[in-house]
């Protein structure tokens, strides 16, 4: 019960920091940066669920992030172009005709549904294929990484239909709101922050539920769970699909906040970058992945500003320190100290 | 005659040409505490693996007239066949209560799964009592003593509502006192279940077995009460050895 109160306090503190403190003290530019980090944090919450609690080392979340992002970007391009218009880049590089598979995304409702459903369905299909065949551990990690690489290459090849290496950019409005208006930029930050808080509530409920206990059991002793009458593949698929949906939503919010989505933001490198914050923050804790993701991204930006080529070393050192001394992440410092005090 | 008994007919398991279980036929009745003994490599554990779906086998293994062989592991478990392993394999990061609750829950629907446990299910409460871990219910399973982990495993079989309990060396590494407690626990449990115990410990077998099957090189060498098996010259030859016979 004590743990429950600590979590409520932690949640309230994060909500206060994001919704009250940050908008009050940060400039519009910094707030928009924080909005981008919040998107990473939403991906991180999902990775915490799949990797921290479910033991699935998801090295390819960029795929789901990208699916959500491109769905949103397609909608924004279409709505900028008008009811029957053609997005600008298609006139430049393509035939000047909108491909049939773009058309459904003119509809905002279809877009919002697709942002959640497309990554979920892809993850479900993959999960059925992979977990039922008992692919796991390093094999699963490599497979998901390869998928991210393949996805980025696929996007790069589609210059005429989804912008190739340039990706999709130059959005002017977001569901009717002008994206150049600072007030609307702030609104986007609030939407992202609110989504992150909602995602935290989702995983919180999952962690305290019976499903959460079962997921940990599957992570630690997958075969044993089988002998208790469960199919562990189903248990893992649920966590994987939820994580994918979260990555998709994060991608969709990333697009209007940052103003561009390109293959460089969804491939292997960003997929690994998603993981670093989770590992450093504490992958199996409730708040660790989100806070770690924001902190690492923030440190990267501010350090790169002062020491342009220094960040990569700092990131490496941080990673080594955490893996060597705090394998469960920085959020576990508190509980380690308590344990030490009790045993002393 | 009840149909709730375990019947094996000509069960065979082959690994790349090596015959590990070579046509085992046996029947274990409800209320029986059957010990499965035999030298190393006799196929005891492999036989248990075959019944629980871990290795493919030919022949037939039925419980309550339902065929068990060549089904998926979790389906067999749902049919009421539970097992333990040589090394205790409880979920170490979860509490005793959580371990039992998971074992009790394979039939739960999605809505129940997505909610927090509001109260301890009665069968979990009863199992805690039977295995004597009521006071340790909120302890992490990883910090339990070796014997307590094995009891927790047996408790998990009970809440799983297993009718056939296959126990692979449940008393290995236990103290004499723990063995005694485990044996008594098995006797209590065995009244309503079909229990098969794979065991090396002869003293433990003599104290608690109601019947014994001796495996040797994948075949049934002898079967009967403890006394009958011990008196069997074939058994004495391959397994029990001269010193054991006098006991």
């Amino acid at each position: 019960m004590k743990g429950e109160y600590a979590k409520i306090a932690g949640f309230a503190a994060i909500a206060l920091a994001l919704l009250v403190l940050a908008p009050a003290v940060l400039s519009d530019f910094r707030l928009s940066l924080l909005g981008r980090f919040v998107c990473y944090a939403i991906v991180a919450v999902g990775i915490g669920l799949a990797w921290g609690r479910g033991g699935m080392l998801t090295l390819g979340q960029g795929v789901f992030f990208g699916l959500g992002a491109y769905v949103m970007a397609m909608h924004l391009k279409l709505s900028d172009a008008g009811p029957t218009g053609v997005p600008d880049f298609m006139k430049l590089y393509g035939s000047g005709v909108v491909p049939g598979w773009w058309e459904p995304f003119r509809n905002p409702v279809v877009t919002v549904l697709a942002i959640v459903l497309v990554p979920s369905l892809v993850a479900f299909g993959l999960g059925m294929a992979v977990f039922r065949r008992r692919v796991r551990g390093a094999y699963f990690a490599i497979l998901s990484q390869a998928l991210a690489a393949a996805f980025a290459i696929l996007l790069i090849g589609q210059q005429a239909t989804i912008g190739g290496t340039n990706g999709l950019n130059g959005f002017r409005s977001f569901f009717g709101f002008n994206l150049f208006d600072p007030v609307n930029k702030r609104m986007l930050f609030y939407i992202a922050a609110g989504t992150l808080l909602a995602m935290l509530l989702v995983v919180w409920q999952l962690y305290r539920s019976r499903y959460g206990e079962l997921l940990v059991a599957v992570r630690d002793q997958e075969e044993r769970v089988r002998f208790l009458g469960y199919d562990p593949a189903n248990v893992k698929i649920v966590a994987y699909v939820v994580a994918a949906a979260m990555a998709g939503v994060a991608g969709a919010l990333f697009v209007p906040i940052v103003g561009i989505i390109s293959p460089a933001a969804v491939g292997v490198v960003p997929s690994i970058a998603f993981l670093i914050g989770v590992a450093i923050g504490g992958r199996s804790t409730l708040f660790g992945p989100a806070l770690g993701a924001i902190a690492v991204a923030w440190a990267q930006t501010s350090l790169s500003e002062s020491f342009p080529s220094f960040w990569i070393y700092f990131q490496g050192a941080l990673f080594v320190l955490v893996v060597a001394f705090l394998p469960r992440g920085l959020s576990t410092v508190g509980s380690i100290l308590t344990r030490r005090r009790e045993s002393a | 005659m009840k149909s709730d008994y375990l019947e094996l007919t000509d069960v065979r398991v082959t690994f790349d040409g090596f015959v590990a279980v070579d046509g085992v036929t046996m029947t274990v009745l409800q209320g029986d505490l059957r010990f499965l003994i035999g030298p190393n490599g006799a196929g005891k554990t492999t036989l248990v693996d075959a019944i629980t779906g871990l290795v493919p086998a030919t022949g037939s293994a039925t419980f309550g007239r339902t065929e068990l062989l060549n089904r998926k592991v979790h389906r067999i478990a749902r049919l009421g066949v539970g097992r333990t392993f040589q090394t205790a394999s409880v979920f170490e990061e979860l509490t005793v209560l959580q371990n039992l609750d998971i074992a009790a829950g394979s039939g739960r629907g999605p809505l129940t799964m997505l909610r927090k446990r509001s109260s301890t299910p009665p069968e979990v409460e009863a199992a805690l009592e039977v295995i004597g871990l009521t006071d340790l219910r909120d302890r992490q399973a990883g910090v339990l003593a070796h014997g307590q982990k094995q009891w927790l495993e047996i408790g998990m079989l009970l809440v799983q509502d297993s009718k056939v309990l296959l126990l692979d060396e449940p008393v290995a590494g236990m103290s004499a006192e723990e063995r005694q407690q485990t044996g008594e626990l098995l006797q209590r449990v065995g009244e309503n279940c079909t229990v098969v115990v794979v065991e090396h410990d002869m003293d433990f077998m003599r104290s608690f077995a109601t019947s014994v099957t001796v495996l040797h090189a994948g075949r049934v060498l002898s079967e009967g009460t403890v006394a009958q098996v011990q008196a069997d010259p074939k058994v004495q030859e391959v397994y029990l050895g001269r010193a054991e016979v006098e006991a």
Side-chain angles (χ1 to χ4, degrees), chain B residues 73-94:
Chain B
V73 167
H74 69 278
R75 298 265 169 229
I76 295 174
R78 286 191 179 206
L79 288 171
V81 179
R83 72 173 292 184
T84 65
F85 296 83
Q86 284 179 16
T87 48
S89 53
V90 293
F91 307 116
E92 308 227 323
E93 285 208 6
L94 300 176

Side-chain angles (χ1 to χ4, degrees), chain B residues 33-94:
Chain B
L33 200 54
R34 172 71 57 98
F35 274 62
L36 199 55
I37 63 170
N40 284 329
K44 307 182 293 291
T45 298
T46 309
L47 185 61
V48 171
D49 287 349
I51 300 169
T52 52
L54 201 55
V55 296
T58 60
S60 157
T62 59
F63 173 64
R65 300 206 182 86
T66 311
E67 179 62 50
L68 302 175
L69 292 189
N70 300 317
R71 285 177 194 263
K72 286 184 177 162
V73 167
H74 69 278
R75 298 265 169 229
I76 295 174
R78 286 191 179 206
L79 288 171
V81 179
R83 72 173 292 184
T84 65
F85 296 83
Q86 284 179 16
T87 48
S89 53
V90 293
F91 307 116
E92 308 227 323
E93 285 208 6
L94 300 176

Side-chain angles (χ1 to χ4, degrees), chain A residues 11-313:
Chain A
F11 184 81
I14 294 174
L16 212 62
L18 283 178
L19 298 177
V20 179
L21 192 62
V25 301
L26 294 177
S27 67
D28 280 352
F29 171 70
R30 292 282 166 197
L31 195 66
S32 166
L33 265 185
L34 184 59
R36 167 148 60 115
F37 304 157
V38 165
C39 294
Y40 296 150
I42 296 171
V43 182
V45 171
I47 294 179
L49 172 68
W51 181 34
R53 296 286 167 131
M56 293 165 271
L57 182 51
T58 50
L59 279 174
Q61 289 305 86
V63 173
F64 307 118
F65 183 82
L67 286 171
Y70 271 90
V71 167
M72 176 63 91
M74 283 156 66
H75 173 71
L76 296 187
K77 286 311 278 184
L78 287 170
S79 70
D80 281 352
T84 52
V86 180
D88 44 14
F89 77 95
M90 282 188 188
K91 294 177 194 153
L92 266 172
Y93 303 108
S95 54
V97 177
V98 178
W101 57 273
W102 269 65
E103 290 295 341
F105 300 110
R106 281 192 197 274
N107 184 325
V109 178
V110 170
T111 304
V112 170
L113 289 177
I115 284 163
V116 177
L117 289 181
V118 171
S120 300
L121 289 175
V122 171
F124 180 75
L126 275 172
M128 291 291 272
V130 168
F131 300 129
R132 294 224 180 245
R133 265 166 243 271
R134 307 190 189 185
V135 176
R136 58 182 160 233
Y139 300 99
F140 171 75
I142 292 166
L143 192 93
S144 57
Q145 172 119 80
L147 218 62
F151 183 60
I153 291 166
L154 179 77
L155 292 174
I156 289 168
Q158 308 301 314
Q159 176 80 9
T161 50
I162 41 176
T165 319
N166 301 336
L168 300 176
N169 53 40
F171 314 112
R172 296 194 301 276
S173 67
F174 176 73
F175 294 94
F177 293 95
N178 184 345
L179 278 174
F180 299 105
D181 186 341
V183 175
N184 290 340
K185 286 191 172 181
R186 290 195 156 240
M187 174 192 74
L188 281 174
F189 172 79
Y190 282 114
I191 293 175
T195 308
L196 173 60
L197 293 171
M199 297 305 175
L200 283 173
L201 289 180
V202 168
V203 290
W204 188 0
Q205 177 59 26
L206 285 178
Y207 289 175
R208 62 208 280 271
S209 72
R210 281 178 151 138
Y211 170 77
E213 295 173 355
L214 180 60
L215 184 64
V216 169
V218 169
R219 176 192 72 188
D220 293 343
Q221 300 253 14
E222 185 169 336
E223 287 311 308
R224 185 70 183 87
V225 172
R226 237 180 259 288
F227 288 99
L228 296 176
Y230 299 94
D231 188 345
N234 294 341
V235 181
K236 291 165 95 171
I237 287 171
V238 171
Y240 189 54
V241 167
V242 172
M246 288 184 179
V249 169
L253 291 169
F254 179 90
V255 165
I257 290 177
V258 178
I260 177 169
I261 185 70
S262 72
V266 306
V268 172
V269 175
S271 293
I272 294 174
F274 287 143
L275 219 69
I276 293 175
V278 178
I280 287 173
R283 63 178 186 269
S284 62
T285 60
L286 176 57
F287 301 125
L291 296 179
I294 293 179
V296 168
W298 192 268
Q300 173 169 17
T301 308
S302 33
L303 276 173
S304 311
E305 281 164 14
S306 354
F307 315 96
S309 55
F310 184 69
W311 164 250
I312 195 87
Y313 300 105

Side-chain angles (χ1 to χ4, degrees), chain B residues 186-219:
Chain B
L186 291 182
Q187 282 181 330
R188 245 175 298 150
V189 169
E191 286 167 15
N192 304 310
C193 300
T194 306
V195 184
V196 177
V197 184
V198 173
E199 195 48 72
H200 276 298
D201 185 318
M202 290 301 118
D203 287 331
F204 183 66
M205 178 201 84
R206 275 189 284 270
S207 308
F208 295 103
T210 55
S211 62
V212 182
T213 298
V214 185
L215 286 188
H216 177 56
R219 292 168 177 277

